[in-house]
Amino acid sequence: MDGKHMQIGEVAARTELSLRTIRHYEETGLVAPSARSQGGFRLYTETDVARLMVIRRMKPLGFTLDQMRELLDATDRLDGDHQLDAGMRAELLARVRTYQQAAAEQVEKLRVQLARAEDFEATLRARSDDTAAP
């Protein structure tokens, strides 16, 4: 087991996700609480938090819930205790590489958008400075 258990409020604070979003990811099967307290509260581990962080990072890059599920499944299997034959391991690594390449493409698109946004903001700043003069 990976250490202490956390309730959903602490997980929300750690991941900067809302309780509603975390529950939605549970309902769609992307993450499941590792345990329940005696009072019935969902309990999460560091592994659960790490899964939520993967999801949080994939979402702004435009990945779908199904794609998130596929990547998490691949990484779970690669990290798991069960033995994978060389062919299956290579297939899972290729799947992860495909997601890495897609993420790199999205990052490049976001860099272009950020540069345009910065240019726009600088133009407006210069204009607002000009209009301050009499």
Side-chain angles (χ1 to χ4, degrees):
M1 203 40 110
D2 43 354
K4 74 177 189 104
H5 286 85
M6 295 162 268
Q7 289 190 14
I8 195 168
E10 185 179 346
V11 173
R14 291 264 309 273
T15 61
E16 298 177 353
L17 293 168
S18 69
L19 302 185
R20 186 173 172 222
T21 298
I22 293 170
R23 288 190 188 109
H24 174 67
Y25 291 150
E26 284 177 23
E27 288 163 14
T28 56
L30 282 172
V31 68
S34 292
R36 292 236 178 214
S37 70
Q38 288 181 337
F41 293 106
R42 300 169 173 91
L43 296 175
Y44 301 83
T45 62
E46 289 297 334
T47 300
D48 301 325
V49 169
R51 283 179 78 82
L52 285 164
M53 293 302 289
V54 169
I55 295 164
R56 197 188 92 180
R57 291 175 181 130
M58 289 182 81
K59 190 163 176 41
L61 297 179
F63 291 104
T64 66
L65 294 178
D66 283 342
Q67 289 172 318
M68 293 174 191
R69 192 176 292 109
E70 182 184 46
L71 177 62
L72 287 165
D73 176 63
T75 56
D76 285 349
R77 291 172 70 191
L78 285 166
D79 295 343
D81 294 336
H82 44 277
Q83 292 296 316
L84 296 171
D85 64 48
M88 179 54 71
R89 185 168 190 77
E91 183 183 317
L92 292 169
L93 286 170
R95 197 176 303 168
V96 171
R97 251 180 249 110
T98 299
Y99 280 103
Q100 182 269 318
Q101 289 164 353
E105 289 170 18
Q106 288 302 316
V107 166
E108 193 49 45
K109 287 179 186 174
L110 287 169
R111 280 200 179 102
V112 170
Q113 288 180 342
L114 178 61
R116 289 178 183 156
E118 288 171 338
D119 288 346
F120 177 62
E121 186 275 332
T123 301
L124 292 178
R125 186 172 357 108
R127 185 173 195 92
S128 64
D129 290 346
D130 282 351
T131 56

